[in-house]
Short mmCIF file of all heavy atoms in Angstrom, two decimals:
data_model
loop_
_atom_site.label_atom_id
_atom_site.label_comp_id
_atom_site.label_asym_id
_atom_site.label_seq_id
_atom_site.Cartn_x
_atom_site.Cartn_y
_atom_site.Cartn_z
N ASP A 29 -0.85 1.06 6.03
CA ASP A 29 -1.15 0.86 4.60
C ASP A 29 -0.15 -0.12 3.99
O ASP A 29 -0.53 -1.04 3.25
CB ASP A 29 -1.06 2.20 3.86
CG ASP A 29 -1.92 3.29 4.49
OD1 ASP A 29 -3.04 2.98 4.91
OD2 ASP A 29 -1.46 4.44 4.56
N ALA A 30 1.13 0.08 4.30
CA ALA A 30 2.18 -0.77 3.75
C ALA A 30 2.01 -2.22 4.20
O ALA A 30 2.26 -3.15 3.44
CB ALA A 30 3.55 -0.23 4.16
N ASN A 31 1.58 -2.42 5.45
CA ASN A 31 1.35 -3.77 5.97
C ASN A 31 0.32 -4.53 5.16
O ASN A 31 0.46 -5.73 4.88
CB ASN A 31 0.90 -3.71 7.43
CG ASN A 31 2.05 -3.97 8.40
OD1 ASN A 31 2.91 -4.78 8.13
ND2 ASN A 31 2.05 -3.26 9.50
N VAL A 32 -0.75 -3.84 4.79
CA VAL A 32 -1.81 -4.47 4.00
C VAL A 32 -1.26 -4.91 2.64
O VAL A 32 -1.52 -6.03 2.17
CB VAL A 32 -3.02 -3.52 3.84
CG1 VAL A 32 -4.03 -4.09 2.85
CG2 VAL A 32 -3.68 -3.28 5.19
N VAL A 33 -0.45 -4.04 2.02
CA VAL A 33 0.15 -4.37 0.73
C VAL A 33 1.06 -5.60 0.85
O VAL A 33 0.97 -6.53 0.06
CB VAL A 33 0.93 -3.15 0.18
CG1 VAL A 33 1.80 -3.56 -1.01
CG2 VAL A 33 -0.02 -2.04 -0.21
N CYS A 34 1.94 -5.60 1.86
CA CYS A 34 2.88 -6.71 2.02
C CYS A 34 2.14 -8.03 2.26
O CYS A 34 2.47 -9.05 1.65
CB CYS A 34 3.83 -6.44 3.18
SG CYS A 34 5.01 -5.10 2.85
N ARG A 35 1.13 -7.99 3.11
CA ARG A 35 0.39 -9.22 3.40
C ARG A 35 -0.36 -9.71 2.17
O ARG A 35 -0.39 -10.91 1.88
CB ARG A 35 -0.55 -8.99 4.58
CG ARG A 35 -1.05 -10.29 5.21
CD ARG A 35 -1.73 -10.08 6.53
NE ARG A 35 -2.85 -9.18 6.43
CZ ARG A 35 -2.90 -7.98 7.03
NH1 ARG A 35 -1.91 -7.55 7.78
NH2 ARG A 35 -3.95 -7.21 6.89
N GLN A 36 -0.96 -8.78 1.44
CA GLN A 36 -1.72 -9.15 0.23
C GLN A 36 -0.81 -9.84 -0.79
O GLN A 36 -1.24 -10.75 -1.50
CB GLN A 36 -2.35 -7.90 -0.39
CG GLN A 36 -3.28 -8.20 -1.56
CD GLN A 36 -3.91 -6.92 -2.12
OE1 GLN A 36 -3.89 -5.87 -1.49
NE2 GLN A 36 -4.46 -7.02 -3.32
N LEU A 37 0.45 -9.44 -0.86
CA LEU A 37 1.38 -10.00 -1.84
C LEU A 37 2.13 -11.23 -1.31
O LEU A 37 2.99 -11.78 -1.99
CB LEU A 37 2.40 -8.93 -2.25
CG LEU A 37 1.83 -7.77 -3.07
CD1 LEU A 37 2.87 -6.68 -3.24
CD2 LEU A 37 1.33 -8.25 -4.42
N GLY A 38 1.82 -11.66 -0.08
CA GLY A 38 2.52 -12.80 0.51
C GLY A 38 3.97 -12.46 0.82
O GLY A 38 4.86 -13.32 0.74
N CYS A 39 4.21 -11.20 1.19
CA CYS A 39 5.57 -10.73 1.43
C CYS A 39 5.82 -10.42 2.90
O CYS A 39 6.72 -9.64 3.25
CB CYS A 39 5.85 -9.48 0.59
SG CYS A 39 6.08 -9.84 -1.16
N GLY A 40 5.03 -11.00 3.79
CA GLY A 40 5.25 -10.78 5.21
C GLY A 40 4.63 -9.48 5.68
O GLY A 40 3.53 -9.12 5.28
N ARG A 41 5.40 -8.75 6.50
CA ARG A 41 4.90 -7.48 7.03
C ARG A 41 5.75 -6.35 6.48
O ARG A 41 6.81 -6.58 5.91
CB ARG A 41 4.97 -7.50 8.57
CG ARG A 41 6.35 -7.73 9.06
CD ARG A 41 6.48 -7.84 10.57
NE ARG A 41 7.85 -8.23 10.90
CZ ARG A 41 8.90 -7.43 10.85
NH1 ARG A 41 8.75 -6.15 10.49
NH2 ARG A 41 10.11 -7.86 11.15
N ALA A 42 5.30 -5.13 6.69
CA ALA A 42 6.05 -3.97 6.20
C ALA A 42 7.24 -3.67 7.09
O ALA A 42 7.13 -3.72 8.32
CB ALA A 42 5.14 -2.76 6.11
N VAL A 43 8.37 -3.38 6.49
CA VAL A 43 9.55 -2.92 7.21
C VAL A 43 9.68 -1.41 7.07
O VAL A 43 10.06 -0.72 7.99
CB VAL A 43 10.82 -3.62 6.67
CG1 VAL A 43 12.06 -3.13 7.42
CG2 VAL A 43 10.70 -5.13 6.79
N ARG A 44 9.33 -0.89 5.88
CA ARG A 44 9.37 0.54 5.64
C ARG A 44 8.23 0.96 4.72
O ARG A 44 7.85 0.22 3.81
CB ARG A 44 10.71 0.95 4.97
CG ARG A 44 11.90 0.86 5.90
CD ARG A 44 13.11 1.59 5.33
NE ARG A 44 13.80 0.80 4.32
CZ ARG A 44 14.70 -0.14 4.59
NH1 ARG A 44 15.01 -0.43 5.84
NH2 ARG A 44 15.30 -0.80 3.63
N ALA A 45 7.69 2.13 4.97
CA ALA A 45 6.70 2.75 4.08
C ALA A 45 7.36 3.99 3.48
O ALA A 45 7.76 4.89 4.21
CB ALA A 45 5.44 3.14 4.86
N HIS A 46 7.49 4.01 2.17
CA HIS A 46 8.22 5.09 1.50
C HIS A 46 7.27 6.03 0.75
O HIS A 46 6.25 5.60 0.20
CB HIS A 46 9.20 4.52 0.47
CG HIS A 46 10.46 4.00 1.06
ND1 HIS A 46 11.38 4.79 1.68
CD2 HIS A 46 10.97 2.73 1.10
CE1 HIS A 46 12.41 4.05 2.10
NE2 HIS A 46 12.17 2.80 1.77
N GLY A 47 7.63 7.30 0.71
CA GLY A 47 6.96 8.28 -0.13
C GLY A 47 7.96 8.91 -1.08
O GLY A 47 9.08 8.41 -1.25
N ASN A 48 7.55 10.01 -1.70
CA ASN A 48 8.43 10.81 -2.57
C ASN A 48 9.11 9.99 -3.66
O ASN A 48 10.29 10.20 -3.96
CB ASN A 48 9.51 11.51 -1.73
CG ASN A 48 8.90 12.44 -0.70
OD1 ASN A 48 7.89 13.07 -0.96
ND2 ASN A 48 9.49 12.50 0.49
N ALA A 49 8.35 9.07 -4.25
CA ALA A 49 8.85 8.27 -5.38
C ALA A 49 10.22 7.67 -5.09
O ALA A 49 11.15 7.76 -5.90
CB ALA A 49 8.90 9.12 -6.66
N ALA A 50 10.36 7.03 -3.93
CA ALA A 50 11.64 6.43 -3.52
C ALA A 50 12.12 5.39 -4.52
O ALA A 50 13.32 5.15 -4.65
CB ALA A 50 11.50 5.81 -2.14
N PHE A 51 11.20 4.76 -5.25
CA PHE A 51 11.57 3.74 -6.24
C PHE A 51 11.39 4.26 -7.66
O PHE A 51 11.18 3.50 -8.60
CB PHE A 51 10.75 2.46 -6.02
CG PHE A 51 11.03 1.81 -4.70
CD1 PHE A 51 10.18 2.00 -3.61
CD2 PHE A 51 12.16 1.04 -4.51
CE1 PHE A 51 10.45 1.42 -2.38
CE2 PHE A 51 12.44 0.45 -3.28
CZ PHE A 51 11.58 0.65 -2.22
N GLY A 52 11.46 5.57 -7.81
CA GLY A 52 11.28 6.17 -9.13
C GLY A 52 9.83 6.55 -9.37
O GLY A 52 8.93 6.11 -8.66
N ARG A 53 9.63 7.40 -10.36
CA ARG A 53 8.28 7.86 -10.69
C ARG A 53 7.57 6.85 -11.57
O ARG A 53 8.15 6.34 -12.53
CB ARG A 53 8.35 9.21 -11.40
CG ARG A 53 8.96 10.30 -10.53
CD ARG A 53 8.98 11.63 -11.25
NE ARG A 53 9.68 12.62 -10.43
CZ ARG A 53 9.59 13.93 -10.63
NH1 ARG A 53 8.84 14.41 -11.59
NH2 ARG A 53 10.25 14.76 -9.85
N GLY A 54 6.33 6.58 -11.22
CA GLY A 54 5.53 5.65 -12.02
C GLY A 54 4.91 6.34 -13.22
O GLY A 54 5.19 7.51 -13.51
N HIS A 55 4.06 5.61 -13.90
CA HIS A 55 3.35 6.13 -15.08
C HIS A 55 1.87 5.84 -14.91
O HIS A 55 1.47 5.11 -14.01
CB HIS A 55 3.88 5.47 -16.35
CG HIS A 55 5.36 5.62 -16.52
ND1 HIS A 55 5.95 6.78 -16.94
CD2 HIS A 55 6.37 4.73 -16.27
CE1 HIS A 55 7.26 6.62 -16.95
NE2 HIS A 55 7.55 5.38 -16.56
N GLY A 56 1.09 6.39 -15.80
CA GLY A 56 -0.34 6.10 -15.77
C GLY A 56 -1.05 6.93 -14.71
O GLY A 56 -0.47 7.85 -14.12
N PRO A 57 -2.30 6.61 -14.45
CA PRO A 57 -3.09 7.41 -13.51
C PRO A 57 -2.65 7.19 -12.06
O PRO A 57 -2.05 6.16 -11.73
CB PRO A 57 -4.51 6.89 -13.72
CG PRO A 57 -4.33 5.48 -14.21
CD PRO A 57 -3.07 5.48 -15.02
N ILE A 58 -2.93 8.17 -11.22
CA ILE A 58 -2.77 8.00 -9.78
C ILE A 58 -4.14 7.59 -9.24
O ILE A 58 -5.10 8.36 -9.29
CB ILE A 58 -2.27 9.31 -9.15
CG1 ILE A 58 -0.86 9.61 -9.67
CG2 ILE A 58 -2.25 9.20 -7.62
CD1 ILE A 58 -0.34 11.00 -9.39
N LEU A 59 -4.23 6.34 -8.80
CA LEU A 59 -5.54 5.73 -8.55
C LEU A 59 -6.02 5.86 -7.11
O LEU A 59 -7.20 5.64 -6.84
CB LEU A 59 -5.49 4.24 -8.93
CG LEU A 59 -5.25 3.98 -10.43
CD1 LEU A 59 -5.02 2.50 -10.67
CD2 LEU A 59 -6.43 4.48 -11.25
N ARG A 60 -5.13 6.18 -6.18
CA ARG A 60 -5.53 6.31 -4.78
C ARG A 60 -4.76 7.46 -4.14
O ARG A 60 -3.59 7.67 -4.42
CB ARG A 60 -5.21 5.04 -3.97
CG ARG A 60 -6.02 3.81 -4.35
CD ARG A 60 -7.42 3.85 -3.74
NE ARG A 60 -8.15 2.60 -3.93
CZ ARG A 60 -8.68 2.21 -5.07
NH1 ARG A 60 -8.54 2.92 -6.15
NH2 ARG A 60 -9.37 1.08 -5.12
N ASP A 61 -5.44 8.17 -3.22
CA ASP A 61 -4.79 9.20 -2.43
C ASP A 61 -5.38 9.11 -1.01
O ASP A 61 -6.48 8.56 -0.83
CB ASP A 61 -5.08 10.58 -3.04
CG ASP A 61 -4.28 11.70 -2.38
OD1 ASP A 61 -3.30 11.39 -1.66
OD2 ASP A 61 -4.64 12.87 -2.57
N GLU A 62 -4.63 9.60 -0.04
CA GLU A 62 -5.11 9.60 1.35
C GLU A 62 -5.61 8.21 1.76
O GLU A 62 -6.68 8.06 2.35
CB GLU A 62 -6.26 10.63 1.52
CG GLU A 62 -5.85 12.06 1.20
CD GLU A 62 -4.96 12.70 2.26
OE1 GLU A 62 -4.73 12.06 3.31
OE2 GLU A 62 -4.51 13.83 2.02
N VAL A 63 -4.81 7.19 1.44
CA VAL A 63 -5.18 5.82 1.84
C VAL A 63 -5.18 5.74 3.36
O VAL A 63 -4.27 6.25 4.02
CB VAL A 63 -4.19 4.80 1.24
CG1 VAL A 63 -4.52 3.39 1.73
CG2 VAL A 63 -4.24 4.85 -0.29
N GLY A 64 -6.22 5.11 3.92
CA GLY A 64 -6.35 5.07 5.37
C GLY A 64 -6.62 3.68 5.92
O GLY A 64 -7.60 3.46 6.63
N CYS A 65 -5.73 2.72 5.59
CA CYS A 65 -5.89 1.36 6.13
C CYS A 65 -5.69 1.38 7.65
O CYS A 65 -4.90 2.17 8.17
CB CYS A 65 -4.86 0.40 5.54
SG CYS A 65 -4.82 0.29 3.74
N GLU A 66 -6.38 0.47 8.32
CA GLU A 66 -6.11 0.28 9.75
C GLU A 66 -5.05 -0.81 9.94
O GLU A 66 -4.44 -0.89 11.00
CB GLU A 66 -7.40 -0.11 10.48
CG GLU A 66 -8.38 1.06 10.56
CD GLU A 66 -9.67 0.68 11.25
OE1 GLU A 66 -9.68 -0.33 11.99
OE2 GLU A 66 -10.66 1.40 11.06
N GLY A 67 -4.85 -1.63 8.92
CA GLY A 67 -3.80 -2.65 8.98
C GLY A 67 -4.31 -4.07 8.96
O GLY A 67 -3.56 -4.99 8.68
N HIS A 68 -5.60 -4.26 9.26
CA HIS A 68 -6.16 -5.62 9.31
C HIS A 68 -6.84 -6.01 7.99
O HIS A 68 -7.25 -7.15 7.83
CB HIS A 68 -7.19 -5.72 10.44
CG HIS A 68 -8.31 -4.73 10.31
ND1 HIS A 68 -9.33 -4.90 9.40
CD2 HIS A 68 -8.53 -3.55 10.94
CE1 HIS A 68 -10.16 -3.86 9.48
NE2 HIS A 68 -9.69 -3.02 10.41
N GLU A 69 -6.98 -5.06 7.07
CA GLU A 69 -7.71 -5.33 5.82
C GLU A 69 -7.02 -6.42 5.01
O GLU A 69 -5.80 -6.56 5.03
CB GLU A 69 -7.81 -4.05 4.98
CG GLU A 69 -8.69 -2.96 5.60
CD GLU A 69 -7.92 -2.04 6.55
OE1 GLU A 69 -6.74 -2.30 6.86
OE2 GLU A 69 -8.52 -1.05 6.99
N ARG A 70 -7.83 -7.21 4.28
CA ARG A 70 -7.26 -8.30 3.49
C ARG A 70 -6.58 -7.79 2.23
O ARG A 70 -5.68 -8.42 1.70
CB ARG A 70 -8.36 -9.30 3.10
CG ARG A 70 -8.76 -10.22 4.24
CD ARG A 70 -10.02 -10.97 3.87
NE ARG A 70 -11.05 -10.04 3.41
CZ ARG A 70 -12.27 -10.39 3.03
NH1 ARG A 70 -12.61 -11.65 3.04
NH2 ARG A 70 -13.15 -9.48 2.65
N ASN A 71 -7.05 -6.67 1.70
CA ASN A 71 -6.39 -6.10 0.53
C ASN A 71 -6.58 -4.58 0.48
O ASN A 71 -7.38 -4.03 1.24
CB ASN A 71 -6.89 -6.75 -0.78
CG ASN A 71 -8.38 -6.59 -0.95
OD1 ASN A 71 -8.88 -5.46 -0.96
ND2 ASN A 71 -9.10 -7.70 -1.09
N LEU A 72 -5.85 -3.95 -0.40
CA LEU A 72 -5.80 -2.49 -0.45
C LEU A 72 -7.15 -1.88 -0.84
O LEU A 72 -7.47 -0.76 -0.44
CB LEU A 72 -4.71 -2.06 -1.44
CG LEU A 72 -4.18 -0.63 -1.33
CD1 LEU A 72 -3.65 -0.33 0.06
CD2 LEU A 72 -3.12 -0.37 -2.38
N TRP A 73 -7.97 -2.63 -1.60
CA TRP A 73 -9.26 -2.07 -2.03
C TRP A 73 -10.21 -1.86 -0.86
O TRP A 73 -11.13 -1.08 -0.95
CB TRP A 73 -9.95 -2.95 -3.07
CG TRP A 73 -9.02 -3.78 -3.90
CD1 TRP A 73 -8.92 -5.14 -3.90
CD2 TRP A 73 -8.06 -3.31 -4.84
NE1 TRP A 73 -7.94 -5.54 -4.78
CE2 TRP A 73 -7.40 -4.44 -5.38
CE3 TRP A 73 -7.68 -2.04 -5.29
CZ2 TRP A 73 -6.40 -4.35 -6.33
CZ3 TRP A 73 -6.67 -1.95 -6.23
CH2 TRP A 73 -6.05 -3.09 -6.74
N GLU A 74 -10.01 -2.61 0.23
CA GLU A 74 -10.91 -2.49 1.38
C GLU A 74 -10.63 -1.22 2.19
O GLU A 74 -11.44 -0.84 3.04
CB GLU A 74 -10.76 -3.71 2.30
CG GLU A 74 -11.30 -5.00 1.71
CD GLU A 74 -11.19 -6.16 2.69
OE1 GLU A 74 -10.80 -5.94 3.85
OE2 GLU A 74 -11.48 -7.29 2.27
N CYS A 75 -9.49 -0.61 1.97
CA CYS A 75 -9.11 0.57 2.77
C CYS A 75 -9.78 1.82 2.22
O CYS A 75 -9.88 2.00 1.01
CB CYS A 75 -7.61 0.76 2.73
SG CYS A 75 -6.67 -0.66 3.31
#
């Protein structure tokens, strides 16, 4: 999942995938759960 995000943003590949609000708690709705990318998708919406 993280690889798809990094590639979509032009940030290379994923080095780490974090959970438990490692970068602090966000706001607003939680828009996705149980994301299941295979890694080849062009963007997160395809997963």
Side-chain angles (χ1 to χ4, degrees):
D29 307 320
N31 261 324
V32 172
V33 168
C34 291
R35 197 168 58 245
Q36 186 179 345
L37 292 172
C39 286
R41 58 183 173 75
V43 180
R44 289 194 280 277
H46 281 294
N48 300 324
F51 296 99
R53 298 182 185 197
H55 304 283
I58 294 167
L59 296 171
R60 293 281 188 286
D61 188 16
E62 300 286 355
V63 176
C65 304
E66 290 178 20
H68 58 76
E69 293 88 353
R70 283 168 309 180
N71 59 57
L72 199 56
W73 332 114
E74 290 183 6
C75 302

